[in-house]
Amino acid sequence: MAIKRVLILAVIFAASVSVSQSAVASDNMYKTANANWNCPDGSFGSGFCQTDNSTLTYYEQGSVNGAVGATVDLTMFDSYDGTDLNVTWIASPSYSGGAETDIIYQVSTSGFSGNTIGQTWCDDATTATKCDQEYVRFRAAGYVDRELACHETGHAVGLTHGADAYPSESNTASELGCMETPDTGNNPYIESHNVSEINATY
């Protein structure tokens, strides 16, 4: 009888360890062990980084029409300004010098292939981790919903997909919120886990 009780307790303990391990949140803020490239001075497709400080300025180029601009604005002030980031829209962007506009949004089909509908990359790295100016390009205005705007902005401040997190997790893990991929349109917010990642970084 004592042996049976010990075996039952062992099974219960093993199950509780398994549950607690799966409940551990992944680190999905660049750099991670699975997203360890150095921040590039790059072009379309070269990779994203963290933004360079908590003051987050952004600008929408002329290709960003009224509806897309409104979606980006809503995302910036509804999701990202609620973190430790201080979000400001800039009427006249800076493309050079020590205080470049942090995120430049644009709409263009240039560079896209396959099913990709959004891309974020660093144009001006300041360190191996930080970027002074990142670009967010949407493939077409018709693709831009709150989730896509939130997702690409997340990359611009350093948030990764689930597969690039550490430990790696599903790209559709619920804690990822709008950082899930592919875009389903059902997760338009960054959610509490990503807020914690941003606040711990900035």
Side-chain angles (χ1 to χ4, degrees), residues 13 17 29 72 84 132 161 190-191:
F13 176 74
V17 168
M29 176 59 75
V72 170
D84 285 350
D132 198 21
H161 295 150
I190 54 175
E191 304 296 351

Side-chain angles (χ1 to χ4, degrees), residues 38-88:
N38 283 334
C39 187
D41 277 327
S43 57
F44 185 94
S46 61
F48 61 86
C49 320
Q50 294 175 15
T51 191
D52 59 347
N53 58 61
S54 62
T55 300
L56 185 67
T57 57
Y58 75 99
Y59 175 74
E60 297 144 343
Q61 291 183 338
S63 57
V64 177
N65 67 24
V68 173
T71 300
V72 170
D73 293 340
L74 193 56
T75 295
M76 294 302 281
F77 291 103
D78 196 31
S79 286
Y80 290 93
D81 201 42
T83 70
D84 285 350
L85 294 167
N86 180 18
V87 176
T88 304

Side-chain angles (χ1 to χ4, degrees), residues 13 44 46 62 67 69-70 96 117 123 150 161 175 178 185 189 193:
F13 176 74
F44 185 94
S46 61
S96 62
I117 58 175
D123 177 64
C150 180
H161 295 150
E175 72 170 2
C178 69
Y189 304 106
H193 171 69

Side-chain angles (χ1 to χ4, degrees), residues 44-45 106-121 136-140 143 148 152:
F44 185 94
Q106 54 187 217
V107 175
S108 172
T109 58
S110 179
F112 283 103
S113 62
N115 296 324
T116 305
I117 58 175
Q119 188 76 47
T120 302
W121 71 94
V136 169
R137 181 178 296 170
F138 303 119
R139 187 172 190 158
Y143 291 122
L148 181 61
E152 296 304 327

Side-chain angles (χ1 to χ4, degrees), residues 86-98:
N86 180 18
V87 176
T88 304
W89 174 79
I90 298 294
S92 299
S94 173
Y95 292 99
S96 62

Side-chain angles (χ1 to χ4, degrees), residues 4 8 17 26 67 71 76 78 87 89 96 104-105 111 122 127 132 137 140 147-148 164 168 173 176 180:
K4 190 173 183 181
I8 290 171
V17 168
S26 291
T71 300
M76 294 302 281
D78 196 31
V87 176
W89 174 79
S96 62
I104 304 294
Y105 291 92
C122 176
T127 70
D132 198 21
R137 181 178 296 170
E147 184 171 332
L148 181 61
D164 288 330
S168 181
L176 293 171
E180 73 164 7

